[in-house]
Amino acid sequence: MRKGQPDRLTTGLMQQIADRSEPVELSYREAVRAAIRDAMIRDERVFLMGEDVGRYGGCYAVSKGLQAEFGPERIRDAPLAESGFTGAGVGAAIAGMRPIVELMTVNFSLLALDQILNSAATLRHMSGNQFGVPLVIRMATGAGRQLAAQHSHSLEGWYAHIPGIKVLAPATLEDARGMLWTALQDPDPVLIFENIVLYNMMGKLAADAGPVEIAKAAVRHAGRDVSLITYGGSLWKTLEAASLLAAENIEAEVIDLRSLRPLDDATIIASVSKTRRAVIIDEGWRSGGISAEIYARIVEQAFWELDAPPGRVCSEETPIPYPRHLEQAAIPQASKIVAAAKSALGRGG
Amino acid sequence: MSAAVDKPRLSRAHELDLLKQMIRIRRFEDACAELYTQEKIRGFLHLYDGEEAVAAGVIPLLESRDRIVSTYREHGHALMRGVPMKAALAEMYGKQEGCSGGRGGSMHLFDRATNFYGGNAIVGGGLPMAVGLALADHMRKENNVTACFFGDGAVAEGEFHESLNLAALWTLPVLFVCENNLYAMGTALALSESETDIHLKAASYRIASEAVDGMDVIAVEAAARRAIQAVRQTGKPYFLECRTYRFRAHSMFDAQLYRDKAEVEAWRKKGPILRFRGWLEANHMIHPEDIARIEAEVAAEIADAVAFAEAGTWEPVETLARFTYAEGTA
């Protein structure tokens, strides 16, 4: 199956539910749940494994109700053994299953980093293409719920450093619903980062919304004056910033990266070549982060197109604190994005 | 040797084959050490000398559909499993005719054809994978056994405990085989474990276990037969601790400052090949010409493997990034 193209099974399902193309109101959480449920129905090799995904219904209630529908074998509660059950996901994937491993938060994923980096990401190359790992690992990321310094970080940029895996950051309902199935078709490990502030986000989505391609960035708002490049939870702050800028007659173009590995250089460079100015917004830390990588690629590939040095809005170089005012001060906000965009345009900041 | 209770039918042909397989591993490792000094093999090289009875006793009892997860000291496992010697040696040369395409080297022998899942060089890292392989079999109701080899050093890792718990909790058909050679690199077992009787640890996860003299190939074989049968019949994990000893250094960079030469010599006298051969001779079940034949056959196989590895080719630099992802997807 080619990326982004529905396979025959998908097409058949789509035809069966053609009368369900009316938009329905749902949350990001429900969109993720629908994606898991859909995958479970379509492919008996798919199963969900993680801490409290079954009886509890998921730490963020994503998998609520799924164990009742699919049973405890396929909605598999795991003990607090991140490395153990992530590695079990690696083994099951090698043996032909299509596991979805849920890690409660990105901070906990560090306990599974050995399996993600040393096994999942390396096995195909190290074994001379004998053993691929078609594993999907989902986890929550990001700050905004006052969960303090061990539940709030944004480490997806770290994972994007690793060859052998793919890193996705669905920011919209459509992507929350559509990326999972495409990721499950991928013959290699795919990590999906769900920003925790998005789970309650409501919106409309076609009842029959289906798989989406996962390799391209999306222009979420077109503009000609400055490119605002972001992903995940920061997308909505960036769109808010674009509205504020529009009120000052600045037309910002908002790029939603969607995939952090691979990065869609073509979409980034095309936008920057048009606007000649760029600001990168990343909830990760600035030093050595994905924002630095994007910045470097812009400079490497579009240096002569630029009218100003690119700017960055990242999290402050500190652990995420608990009190709301400090937490919010630590992460990107629309006001900071507006200031950075204006600075890039030479209009103060 | 072992009590007769669990003794399998010991035919002369079978016994000669056990002896041959252990000699084959020993001579192969000797050749590897020599090739290392010639700089044909580079990187880390971990040899299996002294531990041959474990691989020879356990692995032939597995079915071809069963699965094996191994460690970075896996040459003996690979050879016993049927990974061609020439492909294993070419891998250590880094040649693309190697069993992992030359990408992995000595620590990362992989072979899909024989369900040989490496060659894992993170201590304890293979155990969760073994759990997952067995989980897939469990969910599909396929009656396969996953044999997972690891050393005493892995016992200190969290992944060891997580994996034993998962395998027991989820009723997964894993045969855990601990090759207890008394040293985690240079750290003696007593310096790294509060409980040095390793097989007892399995009891806290309600996993049936036993410890066996890992220098006695017949004892290992008998225990492995019981263990594999139990896993196959119950679908539950089983823990087999094989008490053995590594004759050579941990790797080729190890000056062995942590153990006395006398200790090594004492263990060498209990060596699995010496002991089994002595027993066969004492029972008049082997003749000098048998030994000569075995040595000649093994020497010829090794010579062929060396020639194959020497004649092997280097992967072109142009394909360096190939298989980082599946072809055509990234």
Side-chain angles (χ1 to χ4, degrees), chain B residues 90-165:
Chain B
E91 184 60 36
M92 294 184 217
Y93 270 60
K95 300 289 183 70
Q96 56 187 344
E97 291 79 7
C99 60
S100 305
R103 293 278 185 79
S106 162
M107 298 193 284
H108 303 299
L109 306 180
F110 287 87
D111 186 41
R112 178 174 270 289
T114 58
N115 287 337
F116 194 79
Y117 299 88
N120 291 278
I122 305 296
V123 173
L127 280 87
M129 186 201 292
V131 166
L133 292 165
L135 175 61
D137 286 329
H138 169 81
M139 292 182 75
R140 290 188 299 232
K141 299 185 168 40
E142 288 172 11
N143 191 21
N144 304 327
V145 173
T146 296
C148 179
F149 292 86
F150 53 91
D152 48 293
V155 173
E157 294 282 359
E159 288 179 329
F160 168 88
H161 297 275
E162 293 184 8
S163 299
L164 260 62
N165 183 47

Side-chain angles (χ1 to χ4, degrees), chain B residues 21-325:
Chain B
Q21 293 305 330
M22 291 197 291
I23 289 173
R24 182 172 172 255
I25 296 169
R26 178 72 57 89
R27 296 290 174 262
F28 180 77
E29 298 293 57
D30 290 345
C32 288
E34 172 62 22
L35 292 164
Y36 197 86
T37 63
Q38 295 174 21
E39 301 191 353
K40 301 287 189 182
I41 300 172
R42 310 304 302 269
F44 281 141
L45 178 69
H46 308 91
L47 300 176
Y48 196 60
D49 303 48
E51 307 184 31
E52 295 91 345
V54 182
V58 175
I59 292 175
L61 300 178
L62 295 165
E63 306 282 343
S64 61
R65 62 195 163 91
D66 293 334
R67 309 172 189 276
I68 294 183
V69 176
S70 186
T71 69
Y72 53 86
R73 196 182 303 285
E74 87 283 36
H75 305 169
H77 304 139
L79 292 180
M80 285 311 304
R81 184 56 174 175
V83 178
M85 184 186 284
K86 59 184 186 178
L89 191 62
E91 184 60 36
M92 294 184 217
Y93 270 60
K95 300 289 183 70
Q96 56 187 344
E97 291 79 7
C99 60
S100 305
R103 293 278 185 79
S106 162
M107 298 193 284
H108 303 299
L109 306 180
F110 287 87
D111 186 41
R112 178 174 270 289
T114 58
N115 287 337
F116 194 79
Y117 299 88
N120 291 278
I122 305 296
V123 173
L127 280 87
M129 186 201 292
V131 166
L133 292 165
L135 175 61
D137 286 329
H138 169 81
M139 292 182 75
R140 290 188 299 232
K141 299 185 168 40
E142 288 172 11
N143 191 21
N144 304 327
V145 173
T146 296
C148 179
F149 292 86
F150 53 91
D152 48 293
V155 173
E157 294 282 359
E159 288 179 329
F160 168 88
H161 297 275
E162 293 184 8
S163 299
L164 260 62
N165 183 47
L166 287 173
L169 184 71
W170 291 345
T171 318
L172 304 179
V174 183
L175 172 60
F176 292 102
V177 183
C178 178
E179 297 181 311
N180 176 8
N181 67 17
L182 298 176
Y183 292 92
M185 206 161 113
T187 301
L189 184 61
L191 297 177
S192 63
E193 286 299 313
S194 56
E195 171 55 81
T196 56
D197 196 348
I198 290 173
H199 86 286
L200 294 180
K201 295 172 191 290
S204 68
Y205 300 102
R206 297 176 178 269
I207 296 177
S209 72
E210 76 179 281
V212 64
D213 180 353
M215 308 303 267
D216 177 348
V217 69
I218 297 299
V220 172
E221 187 181 60
R225 194 179 300 277
R226 286 191 293 274
I228 292 167
Q229 194 173 28
V231 176
R232 186 98 60 202
Q233 285 178 353
T234 65
K236 293 180 180 174
Y238 194 100
F239 191 99
L240 188 60
E241 178 194 348
C242 300
R243 292 176 176 164
T244 182
Y245 198 79
R246 160 170 60 73
F247 291 167
R248 285 183 183 265
H250 166 75
S251 74
M252 303 304 280
F253 295 101
D254 171 13
Q256 301 191 71
L257 303 174
Y258 50 85
R259 63 183 186 183
D260 291 335
K261 286 195 171 66
E263 177 185 302
V264 181
E265 284 313 306
W267 275 93
R268 278 189 182 277
K269 289 184 183 125
K270 298 189 277 185
I273 296 173
L274 194 66
R275 191 165 161 192
F276 189 51
R277 180 180 160 177
W279 182 79
L280 290 172
E281 285 170 346
N283 287 281
H284 309 291
M285 296 174 80
I286 194 168
H287 313 294
E289 54 267 34
D290 293 321
I291 301 290
R293 177 184 53 78
I294 286 171
E295 294 283 7
E297 287 172 359
V298 167
E301 187 184 9
I302 290 171
D304 280 351
V306 171
F308 180 82
E310 288 284 341
T313 53
W314 303 110
E315 178 175 354
V317 172
E318 290 71 29
T319 58
L320 164 67
R322 196 178 177 200
F323 306 139
T324 304
Y325 298 92

Side-chain angles (χ1 to χ4, degrees), chain A residues 37-279:
Chain A
R37 183 170 179 273
D38 183 36
M40 298 282 294
I41 291 168
R42 287 191 201 195
D43 187 343
E44 65 181 14
R45 299 173 303 171
V46 172
F47 66 101
L48 176 70
M49 171 164 59
E51 294 156 356
D52 278 316
V53 298
R55 285 163 185 80
Y56 189 96
C59 179
Y60 295 99
V62 166
S63 52
K64 197 172 173 186
L66 293 181
Q67 195 179 61
E69 182 173 0
F70 297 103
E73 282 277 304
R74 294 184 68 203
I75 303 292
R76 181 171 288 267
D77 279 317
L80 309 189
E82 287 83 0
S83 196
F85 68 76
T86 302
V90 171
I94 291 172
M97 300 296 282
R98 289 293 180 274
I100 305 168
V101 165
E102 178 176 310
L103 290 161
M104 217 177 254
T105 84
V106 68
N107 288 84
F108 302 173
S109 80
L110 302 182
L111 294 160
L113 191 52
D114 168 48
Q115 289 297 327
I116 297 170
L117 172 52
N118 287 320
S119 291
T122 59
L123 277 165
R124 182 184 295 282
H125 193 266
M126 184 167 72
S127 70
N129 201 35
Q130 293 178 89
F131 297 110
V133 186
L135 170 67
V136 172
I137 304 175
R138 298 172 40 247
M139 67 189 89
T141 188
R145 288 267 176 272
Q146 291 192 254
L147 300 176
Q150 293 181 339
H151 287 71
S152 303
H153 289 134
S154 292
L155 304 179
E156 49 275 10
W158 270 14
Y159 284 102
H161 183 62
I162 304 170
I165 61 176
K166 296 178 181 176
V167 176
L168 307 180
T172 65
L173 294 178
E174 183 189 25
D175 282 349
R177 175 68 180 81
M179 281 182 164
L180 180 71
W181 179 254
T182 315
L184 283 165
Q185 306 315 299
D186 199 286
D188 293 305
V190 180
L191 274 57
I192 302 180
F193 290 86
E194 299 159 7
N195 190 291
I196 53 168
V197 299
L198 297 180
Y199 282 128
N200 288 334
M201 180 177 74
M202 298 298 295
K204 283 195 187 299
L205 188 67
D208 64 350
V212 296
E213 68 81 33
I214 56 170
K216 287 194 166 55
V219 178
R220 299 296 185 196
H221 184 262
R224 64 181 181 186
D225 294 329
V226 58
S227 299
L228 305 180
I229 300 160
T230 190
Y231 67 91
S234 297
L235 171 65
W236 304 98
K237 294 172 183 173
T238 305
L239 287 167
E240 183 190 344
S243 300
L244 295 169
L245 289 165
E248 299 186 49
N249 292 319
I250 296 169
E251 293 181 24
E253 179 148 295
V254 178
I255 307 283
D256 174 6
L257 291 167
R258 301 179 69 244
S259 168
L260 302 186
R261 188 179 189 101
L263 280 169
D264 178 6
D265 288 7
T267 299
I268 297 169
I269 299 304
S271 177
V272 172
S273 298
K274 178 176 72 174
T275 63
R276 299 180 175 273
R277 292 175 171 84
V279 175

